[in-house]
């Protein structure tokens, strides 16, 4: 039977392409793999353009009203809890609205909004198979060990 191998990339429309390009490249650190700003109004972005040409695409042309809810969230994995702390500091410097920072047990997630109001998640996989949905407030000022121990404890309480 045919099978999906994984999500390849996500593309979203942007009202202010250059503002969104700046946010995703400068604040979130995605690299611009290719772009056609003049004719098509497209920016192809990746965390590693050599391994994957693009994982995220911005395209000029959002035509929805400001209160339209068309994206529930877009999630980007980070390799460490420290990366989450550093991104939180960057987002705070940008005055980005951080919605919540939680432990799902199987992952730690930080939810915030990009300049056009799209909900974004940065997450770190803990490796603990905690049933979902689950979301306890997470204090990133605590040590990695404390946070992971608490997530691991959920294995005994959520089963």
């Amino acid at each position: 039977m045919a099978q999906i191998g994984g999500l390849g990339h996500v593309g979203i429309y942007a009202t202010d392409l250059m503002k969104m390009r700046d946010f995703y490249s400068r604040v979130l650190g995605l690299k611009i793999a290719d772009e056609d700003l003049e004719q098509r109004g497209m920016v192809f972005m990746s965390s590693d353009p050599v391994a994957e040409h693009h994982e995220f695409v911005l395209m000029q042309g959002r035509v929805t009203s400001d209160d339209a809810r068309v994206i529930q969230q877009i999630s980007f994995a980070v390799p460490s809890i420290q990366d989450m702390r550093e991104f939180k500091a960057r987002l705070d410097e940008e005055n980005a609205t951080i919605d919540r920072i939680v432990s799902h047990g199987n992952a730690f997630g930080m939810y915030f909004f990009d300049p056009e109001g799209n909900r974004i998640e940065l997450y770190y996989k803990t490796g603990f198979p905690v049933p979902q949905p689950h979301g306890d407030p997470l204090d990133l000022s605590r040590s990695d060990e404390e946070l992971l121990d608490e997530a691991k404890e959920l294995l005994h309480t959520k089963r």
Side-chain angles (χ1 to χ4, degrees):
M1 176 179 202
Q3 182 177 339
I4 300 293
L7 180 63
H9 58 269
V10 172
I12 65 172
Y13 287 108
T15 301
D16 187 335
L17 183 63
M18 296 310 288
K19 185 174 187 176
M20 295 287 276
R21 177 185 182 270
D22 174 66
F23 179 81
Y24 282 96
S25 62
R26 184 178 54 80
V27 179
L28 294 188
L30 291 177
K31 295 166 185 66
I32 298 169
D34 276 314
E35 60 188 357
D36 178 351
L37 300 175
E38 301 299 319
Q39 293 186 350
R40 301 222 25 222
M42 296 178 77
V43 181
F44 297 90
M45 307 182 96
S46 179
S47 61
D48 181 357
V50 173
E52 187 69 45
H53 179 268
H54 61 278
E55 298 160 295
F56 189 63
V57 179
L58 294 169
M59 182 151 191
Q60 182 71 41
R62 188 172 191 151
V63 293
T64 60
S65 63
D66 288 341
D67 63 348
R69 293 170 40 171
V70 295
I71 296 173
Q72 190 273 327
Q73 74 185 43
I74 301 169
S75 301
F76 295 96
V78 298
S80 73
I81 300 169
Q82 183 58 32
D83 286 295
M84 289 186 68
R85 291 183 186 101
E86 291 175 22
F87 276 117
K88 182 183 182 314
R90 274 192 218 171
L91 292 166
D92 287 342
E93 287 173 12
E94 294 292 318
N95 294 314
T97 301
I98 297 176
D99 185 32
R100 64 190 189 131
I101 302 172
V102 297
S103 170
H104 296 298
N106 66 347
F108 299 148
M110 178 168 41
Y111 298 85
F112 59 94
F113 297 95
D114 74 12
E116 293 192 358
N118 299 300
R119 190 167 195 236
I120 307 300
E121 177 193 22
L122 299 178
Y123 71 96
Y124 169 76
K125 293 185 220 177
T126 65
F128 305 125
V130 175
Q132 298 302 307
H134 182 84
D136 291 329
L138 185 73
D139 179 358
L140 289 174
S141 69
R142 295 173 56 210
S143 73
D144 289 9
E145 294 75 23
E146 290 174 304
L147 296 175
L148 290 168
D149 285 346
E150 192 171 278
K152 189 175 184 179
E153 281 300 311
L154 293 171
L155 290 172
H156 307 294
T157 59
K158 292 291 286 182
R159 293 270 174 214

